[in-house]
């Protein structure tokens, strides 16, 4: 029987609950990370930034590198395809921004990223992956900052890369590897393959973090027990449900908790989220950023179409307060929503978009790949 871990060690960094918030573009900004951290212990990772954007001083990238005043462990996900840029970016994060953990993205399935050999496409080039990881670990070492990586099973079922990626991660000194149990072709469709996560656990000695289809705290425990993973990475399951981190912290410490907030309690969480966004971005932009979260928060609750429409146009905290007053505080949590997918799902891609001749060579060392400075999609 698998022992459920109570904490997670990434090099010298200790995480009190073995739970990591997955980087999500446009979601995991400083305000959202603060909101989640108020619920329970874990490692809360920033939105993905590009190594080239950071090194070249891109303004969009600079604005994304914002941390909350109470954020004691600064964790950043970095995207890149060039070992030199990656090394420079890691050094900047460690030396200038006080970052305590760097995660490298090799899981993004978006065509505009894979078309250039980045994200989930890159691990096909085993030699290049090794070069990038080696340069990142070396750049972080003087600061005692652990480097981790996130990846997928492979390009598709015929081109799997995760076992080689795990071996290379271990050989290059990476502190842990997170595996999303889907291929690039699957994107966010279908079911995550937890057996692949278990296979990677058996294949390497470094910690493996499991990612995919964790909708409730009970799912996290099932994944760890099924795979032997050292912890879990939670993405879409926490959309509109920051209290999931409260449940996860309790579950990993032996408590059986499933928070079922009333609509009144959800309203309070919505207000807090909008307030934090306003503090970080200013009220007008913060309220506009909050709009995308409305549907997730109200999923399954009774709320009229006109009210939802008005909430989706909110532009101030005062207007938000007035609209939230129109919701029924006593409405119970819609338990039918428990365990169901949240956020994007979509369909599998017909094919993975790759650079010409990408599959012809599995080494790739010396490849001159160049990412866009403002590429900010997660994986």
């Amino acid at each position: 029987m698998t022992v459920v871990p109570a904490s997670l060690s990434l090099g010298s960094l200790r995480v009190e609950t073995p739970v990591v918030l997955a980087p999500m573009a446009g979601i995991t900004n400083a305000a959202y990370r603060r909101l989640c951290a108020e619920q329970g212990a874990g490692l809360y990772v920033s939105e993905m930034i590009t190594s080239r954007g950071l090194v070249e001083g891109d303004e969009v990238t600079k604005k994304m590198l914002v941390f909350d005043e109470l954020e004691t462990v600064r964790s950043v996900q970095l995207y890149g395809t060039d070992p030199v840029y990656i090394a420079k970016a890691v050094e900047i994060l460690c030396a200038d921004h006080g970052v305590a953990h760097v995660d490298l993205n090799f899981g993004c399935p978006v065509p505009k990223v894979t078309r250039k050999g980045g994200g989930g496409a890159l691990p096909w080039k085993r030699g290049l992956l090794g070069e990038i990881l080696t340069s990142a670990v070396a750049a972080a070492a003087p600061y005692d900052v652990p480097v981790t990586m996130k990846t997928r099973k492979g390009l598709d079922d015929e081109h799997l890369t995760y076992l080689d990626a795990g071996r290379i991660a271990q050989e290059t000194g990476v502190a842990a590897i997170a595996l999303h149990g889907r291929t690039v072709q699957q994107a966010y469709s279908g079911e995550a393959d937890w057996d692949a996560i278990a296979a990677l656990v058996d294949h390497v000695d470094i910690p493996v973090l499991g990612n995919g289809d964790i909708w409730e705290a009970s799912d996290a425990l099932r994944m760890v027990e099924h795979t032997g993973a050292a912890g879990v990475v939670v993405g879409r399951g926490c959309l509109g449900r920051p209290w999931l981190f409260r449940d996860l912290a309790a579950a990993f410490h032996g408590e059986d908790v499933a928070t079922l907030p009333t609509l009144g309690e959800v309203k309070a969480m919505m207000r807090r989220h909008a307030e934090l966004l306003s503090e970080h971005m200013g009220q007008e932009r913060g309220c506009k950023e909050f709009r995308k979260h409305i549907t997730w928060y109200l999923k399954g609750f009774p709320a009229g179409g006109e009210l939802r429409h008005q909430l989706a146009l909110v532009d101030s905290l005062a207007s938000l307060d007035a609209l939230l007053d129109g919701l029924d505080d006593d409405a119970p949590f819609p338990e039918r929503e428990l365990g169901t997918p949240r956020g994007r799902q979509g369909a599998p891609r017909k094919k993975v978009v790759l650079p010409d001749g990408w599959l012809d060579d599995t080494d790739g060392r010396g490849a001159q790949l160049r990412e866009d400075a403002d590429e900010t999609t997660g994986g």
Side-chain angles (χ1 to χ4, degrees):
M1 180 177 172
T2 303
V3 176
V4 175
S7 62
L8 172 66
S9 293
L10 302 175
S12 60
L13 176 62
R14 178 182 167 88
V15 183
E16 290 305 318
T17 298
V19 174
V20 179
L21 169 65
M24 291 180 281
I27 305 291
T28 57
N29 49 40
Y32 190 72
R33 299 196 304 272
R34 166 74 177 268
L35 186 70
C36 293
E38 288 177 350
Q39 299 301 307
L43 183 62
Y44 298 99
V45 190
S46 75
E47 296 173 87
M48 185 181 84
I49 64 167
T50 70
S51 54
R52 185 175 154 220
L54 183 59
V55 171
E56 295 182 356
D58 173 66
E59 286 303 318
V60 173
T61 304
K62 284 181 183 176
K63 288 176 182 174
M64 292 173 69
L65 262 183
V66 172
F67 300 95
D68 186 83
E69 61 185 3
L70 296 184
E71 203 160 4
T72 53
V73 177
R74 295 183 171 188
S75 173
V76 172
Q77 189 181 65
L78 194 61
Y79 164 80
T81 52
D82 183 316
V84 175
Y85 267 112
I86 287 272
K88 288 179 180 176
V90 169
E91 184 171 9
I92 291 169
L93 289 173
C94 296
D96 299 345
H97 296 278
V99 167
H101 165 243
V102 176
D103 183 55
L104 299 179
N105 181 303
F106 301 108
C108 182
V110 176
K112 69 177 180 180
V113 171
T114 60
R115 180 181 287 113
K116 296 181 178 178
L122 197 139
W124 181 256
K125 302 293 191 186
R126 277 71 164 177
L128 177 59
L129 178 64
E131 283 187 328
I132 291 174
L133 295 178
T134 297
S135 69
V137 170
Y143 305 92
D144 193 27
V145 169
V147 174
T148 61
M149 68 171 282
K150 184 182 178 190
T151 191
R152 286 175 173 252
K153 288 170 57 181
L155 302 173
D156 52 36
D157 288 337
E158 283 70 52
H159 301 89
L160 299 177
T161 55
Y162 70 102
L163 294 179
D164 280 347
R167 170 184 56 79
I168 294 164
Q170 181 168 309
E171 289 171 351
T172 54
V174 168
I177 178 170
L179 178 62
H180 185 160
R182 289 180 170 87
T183 61
V184 173
Q185 185 177 32
Q186 279 181 276
Y188 299 95
S189 68
E191 293 186 0
D193 180 3
W194 290 5
D195 288 340
I197 297 168
L200 184 57
V201 170
D202 289 342
H203 190 66
V204 298
D205 297 324
I206 59 174
V208 174
L209 305 175
N211 178 216
D213 295 355
I214 296 175
W215 311 114
E216 310 297 338
S218 57
D219 295 330
L221 294 186
R222 279 196 307 110
M223 175 188 272
V224 168
E225 289 165 353
H226 182 86
T227 65
V232 297
V233 178
V234 178
R236 293 172 294 156
C238 68
L239 294 175
R241 294 195 314 164
W243 58 84
L244 179 59
F245 290 98
R246 187 193 317 163
D247 291 359
L248 286 161
F252 276 104
H253 293 94
E255 301 169 33
D256 183 16
V257 175
T259 301
L260 300 174
T262 63
L263 186 49
E265 291 169 315
V266 172
K267 279 169 53 175
M269 188 71 74
M270 294 170 74
R271 181 58 166 76
R272 176 65 176 150
H273 192 169
E275 182 182 280
L276 286 168
L277 283 166
S278 297
E279 286 177 12
H280 277 283
M281 302 176 176
Q283 188 167 155
E284 185 178 3
R285 185 176 161 221
C287 287
K288 285 181 177 177
E289 281 288 319
F290 180 67
R291 293 171 181 175
K292 71 183 74 165
H293 297 271
I294 300 288
T295 301
W296 296 321
Y297 275 114
L298 296 181
K299 191 169 187 274
F301 278 108
E306 179 57 28
L307 181 56
R308 289 174 186 260
H309 176 71
Q310 291 299 320
L311 281 165
L313 299 174
V314 71
D315 59 3
S316 70
L317 292 175
S319 62
L320 176 63
D321 288 339
L323 290 166
L324 291 179
D325 278 344
L327 294 171
D328 177 7
D329 284 3
D330 297 326
F333 187 85
E335 294 191 35
R336 65 185 177 280
E337 297 294 341
L338 293 173
T340 61
R342 306 176 76 81
R344 57 188 167 180
Q345 291 167 268
R349 308 191 191 287
K350 290 186 174 65
K351 67 172 186 174
V352 180
V353 183
L354 299 167
D356 289 341
W358 190 251
L359 297 177
D360 298 343
D361 162 40
T362 60
D363 185 70
R365 274 176 281 208
Q368 294 301 307
L369 302 174
R370 188 171 173 84
E371 76 263 15
D372 292 331
D374 62 350
E375 179 54 63
T376 56
T377 310

